[in-house]
Amino acid sequence: MRNLTEENLTDAVLASLAACGDARLKDVMTSLFRHLHAFVREIEPTPEEWFAGIRFLTETGKMCDDKRQEFILLSDTWGVSMLVDAINNRKQAGATESSVLGPFYVDGAPEKNTGADLAPDEGPGVTVRGKVRTPDGRPLANATLDVWQTAPNGLYHMQDAGQDEYHLCGKVRTAADGSYRFRTLKPVSYSIPTDGTVGKWLGWVGRHPYRPAHIHFIVSAPGCRPVVTQLFTEGDAYLESDAVFAVKNSLVVKYEPAGGEWTVDHDFVLEPAVA
Ligand code: BEZ
Ligand code: FE
């Protein structure tokens, strides 16, 4: 491995993996080296450009701690999170489609029975209701809908000192007939955080940072494959240009006016767990 040239350097780097005993790691690194070298060959970066890229990734890492994950945000805004999601959630027809988890899920929300109000004394509210069932229509009793969303100021509870922990979050259980119902606030479209490298990058490429209004869910039930998903608001201005590419038609729901508030009817359909 001496006197390597532009022509044979990639082959030498690939050959350096020969002794790797972990077959999956070897496959992953081989593919990564192939694509990364091909990228560099195509782009032909100057040293300054290459260091600018390294500086960008370094700054991204510096933004990360146990409360903030700028790399997840980068993966989300580059469409990689939704691609990984799509590959890992090929569903049978009729099953609820998945969507991106995002960086603002915190496990541990309070357990709630069906009928719970996640926003007592706050409005305007929406009652979300329906069933959790299997693709062949069997109702799923004791299923859990782990719900989270932003407040009307566009911030999640952990982003905002003005909100209680787990504000607008809850683990709602279905009743014996598989039905669920909870009241929350009508969600708003909001900006993903723009004070880090992702915000800078969106600006450089002329993209906006907004997500259409949505409520997040992880729906699970014994014996079924859980689904991580979101319900989007019909008519939202950002449905066609979600900053993280997460909208699917089957997840867009209609808010029907009801007594000064709204109702949304939506069934969640879970596939059987793979044995
Ligand atoms: C969210 O919907 O919470 C979210 C998803 C991806 C990136 C940022 C936020
Ligand atoms: Fe969100």
Side-chain angles (χ1 to χ4, degrees), residues 39-40 42-56:
F39 166 74
V40 171
E42 184 178 322
I43 298 302
E44 298 193 340
T46 63
E48 291 74 24
E49 287 174 330
W50 190 241
F51 283 122
I54 288 174
R55 247 194 331 271
F56 178 82

Side-chain angles (χ1 to χ4, degrees), residues 104 148 150 156 190 211 214 216 230:
F104 299 116
W148 72 104
T150 59
Y156 288 91
Y190 66 83
R211 296 220 58 215
H214 58 274
H216 292 266
Q230 305 176 26

